[in-house]
């Protein structure tokens, strides 16, 4: 398996030929592996470093400060703090594209904070008090806006690659009706033998629900994607550079392309340095994810180009209906 690392600056402000080369490589990488790595995305290193600093400070808040903004679970978009084992990635996967009714109780050893767009008045973000975490909100909102722009550039490149009319994707992912989400993930330190018992994982194999996901990760490691060239195997993505983005295909893009571009199955497991170990402590891990999502009333059924000469594999349903159905299975 040889995943691509692409430079987004080759698409932004470059010649038409460079834009087309980048777009084709992006399409091919996402189609083949479900993810690519991206540099030259325009998010400054200092912004990424500050995000990780703020993330650490958030998860070190007193329990009462996090409980005050706890997400209640259920069908509504996630906002605020979700405690360890509040969301089941295993159930999300099994009851989604896998369409399995397996009910085995598998736990996630992860907590997270979720925010929505500043334009989302329907589901406002649950923010910690400014006095508890000064500057947190402004840092998060600024970074979210920057990553929205990156997602827009990636989706524009995919429109070029698939020779779609301008706006075929982006008209369903607008800033004004934005339902995208921004997440801070914290995986607390955990004993290796607890992971090896097979009932707890940092996060079980799953697909993301949106269009694409943009992810920064720290240097601890453990992120793995399904290796489509070797059945049942996973490929490790080492956290070599915190400023390098991982861009993966999510369920909505799979639906829009009628399965031509499949969602990337991924998990967080033991990092390479703990291979073969049966004891010891897995250190805490942090990651930062921007989930680019379709507007709530936009269709997540296949686009016309992808059903010419074949049947639609996915139903014509609104993004909010699909999102709520899927989230319900995770709680």
């Amino acid at each position: 398996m040889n995943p691509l690392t692409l430079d987004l600056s080759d698409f932004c402000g470059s010649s038409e030929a460079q834009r087309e080369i980048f777009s084709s490589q992006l399409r091919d990488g996402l189609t083949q592996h479900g993810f690519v790595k991206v540099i030259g995305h325009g998010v400054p290193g200092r912004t990424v470093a500050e995000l990780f600093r703020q993330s650490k400070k958030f998860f070190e808040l007193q329990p009462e400060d996090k409980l005050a903004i706890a997400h209640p679970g259920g069908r509504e978009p996630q906002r605020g703090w979700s405690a360890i084992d509040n969301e089941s990635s295993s159930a999300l996967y099994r009851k989604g594209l896998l369409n399995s009714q397996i009910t085995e109780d598998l736990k996630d050893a992860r907590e997270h904070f979720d925010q929505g767009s500043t334009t989302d008045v329907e589901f406002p973000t649950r923010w910690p008090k400014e006095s508890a975490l000064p500057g947190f909100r402004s840092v998060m909102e600024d970074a979210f806006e920057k990553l929205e722009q990156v997602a827009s550039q990636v989706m524009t490149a995919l429109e070029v690659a698939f020779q779609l009319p301008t706006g075929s994707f982006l008209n369903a992912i607008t800033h004004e009706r934005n339902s995208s989400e921004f997440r801070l993930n914290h995986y607390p330190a955990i004993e290796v033998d607890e992971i090896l018992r097979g009932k707890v994982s940092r996060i079980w194999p799953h697909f993301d629900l949106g269009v694409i996901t943009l992810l920064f990760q720290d240097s601890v490691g453990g992120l793995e994607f399904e290796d489509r060239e070797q059945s049942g195997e996973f490929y490790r993505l080492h956290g070599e550079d915190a400023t390098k983005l991982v861009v993966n295909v999510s369920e909505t893009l799979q639906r829009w392309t009628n399965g031509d571009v499949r969602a990337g199955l991924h998990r967080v497991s033991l990092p390479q340095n703990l291979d073969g170990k049966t004891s010891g402590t897995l250190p805490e891990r942090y990651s930062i994810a921007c989930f680019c999502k379709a507007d709530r009333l936009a269709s997540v059924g296949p686009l016309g180009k992808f059903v010419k000469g074949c049947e639609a594999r996915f139903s014509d349903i609104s993004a909010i209906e699909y999102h709520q159905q899927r989230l319900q299975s995770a709680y």
Side-chain angles (χ1 to χ4, degrees):
M1 185 174 182
N2 187 28
L4 295 175
T5 297
L6 302 177
D7 190 335
L8 188 55
S9 66
D10 288 342
F11 181 77
C12 305
S14 299
S15 68
E16 192 63 31
Q18 285 179 303
R19 285 168 61 86
E20 290 185 0
I21 291 171
F22 174 90
S23 298
S24 296
Q25 290 176 330
L26 174 68
R27 176 200 60 211
D28 294 346
L30 293 179
T31 300
Q32 184 175 3
H33 300 300
F35 73 96
V36 295
K37 294 177 280 188
V38 173
I39 60 175
H41 45 68
V43 180
R46 63 181 180 276
T47 297
V48 178
E50 181 62 16
L51 279 171
F52 279 106
R53 190 179 77 86
Q54 291 288 345
S55 180
K56 185 174 179 62
K57 289 174 67 176
F58 173 81
F59 291 111
E60 289 174 346
L61 285 173
Q62 294 299 313
E64 57 267 26
D65 290 322
K66 291 191 284 187
L67 281 170
I69 58 167
H71 176 65
R75 291 160 52 91
E76 305 303 332
Q78 293 154 299
R79 298 290 184 266
W81 176 64
S82 293
I84 293 172
D85 194 36
N86 192 38
E87 178 187 67
S88 172
S89 59
S90 176
L92 189 67
Y93 167 53
R94 293 195 312 264
K95 296 178 183 178
L97 295 182
L98 189 63
N99 196 27
S100 167
Q101 298 305 312
I102 297 172
T103 57
E104 187 176 3
D105 187 22
L106 303 177
K107 308 289 188 182
D108 285 1
R110 170 185 61 117
E111 59 179 330
H112 50 94
F113 170 82
D114 293 277
Q115 78 179 76
S117 168
T118 56
T119 64
D120 189 354
V121 296
E122 186 176 1
F123 300 104
T125 300
R126 296 175 172 90
W127 292 104
K129 293 179 181 177
E130 183 68 16
S131 58
L133 200 53
F136 176 75
R137 179 172 181 171
S138 62
V139 168
M140 293 291 291
E141 289 181 339
D142 177 68
F144 190 7
E145 185 174 335
K146 287 182 170 64
L147 285 165
E148 271 192 277
Q149 294 168 2
V150 175
S152 177
Q153 291 162 353
V154 170
M155 295 310 298
T156 299
L158 287 176
E159 290 179 350
V160 172
F162 284 112
Q163 298 180 329
L164 294 169
T166 300
S168 293
F169 290 138
L170 285 182
N171 287 346
I173 312 169
T174 66
H175 179 71
E176 294 74 21
R177 298 181 296 278
N178 194 343
S179 62
S180 296
E181 295 167 355
F182 196 28
R183 172 175 291 182
L184 304 177
N185 285 308
H186 175 228
Y187 304 83
I190 187 171
E191 295 303 305
V192 170
D193 63 350
E194 185 173 359
I195 296 288
L196 294 179
R197 290 189 198 111
K199 293 293 184 180
V200 175
S201 181
R202 289 202 136 168
I203 187 167
W204 294 94
H206 68 287
F207 302 109
D208 293 337
L209 298 186
V211 180
I212 56 171
T213 299
L214 312 178
L215 181 84
F216 293 116
Q217 60 171 333
D218 66 12
S219 61
V220 171
L223 176 63
E224 300 178 345
F225 274 83
E226 179 186 30
D227 187 341
R228 295 175 177 173
E229 298 170 1
Q230 301 184 67
S231 178
E233 298 296 319
F234 280 77
Y235 174 86
R236 281 195 175 105
L237 267 74
H238 303 291
E240 69 241 28
D241 181 357
T243 66
K244 184 178 291 186
L245 272 174
V246 178
V247 177
N248 67 269
V249 179
S250 302
E251 292 186 15
T252 298
L253 185 56
Q254 174 168 322
R255 293 173 63 92
W256 277 346
T257 62
N258 204 33
D260 285 3
V261 184
R262 292 187 290 135
L265 184 67
H266 56 290
R267 68 185 184 186
V268 178
S269 188
L270 296 176
Q272 186 171 10
N273 65 307
L274 290 174
D275 273 354
K277 301 290 179 63
T278 58
S279 63
T281 301
L282 186 55
E284 66 178 351
R285 177 181 185 270
Y286 293 88
S287 66
I288 298 161
C290 180
F291 301 110
C292 170
K293 295 188 173 183
D295 296 348
R296 294 194 181 101
L297 298 182
S299 170
V300 293
L303 299 184
K305 176 183 175 65
F306 299 98
V307 292
K308 290 181 178 178
C310 63
E311 292 185 2
R313 297 175 57 194
F314 304 99
S315 61
D316 186 359
I317 186 175
S318 73
I320 187 63
E321 290 176 288
Y322 183 70
H323 191 81
Q324 288 177 333
Q325 288 177 9
R326 297 288 286 109
L327 272 185
Q328 188 66 46
S329 68
Y331 289 93

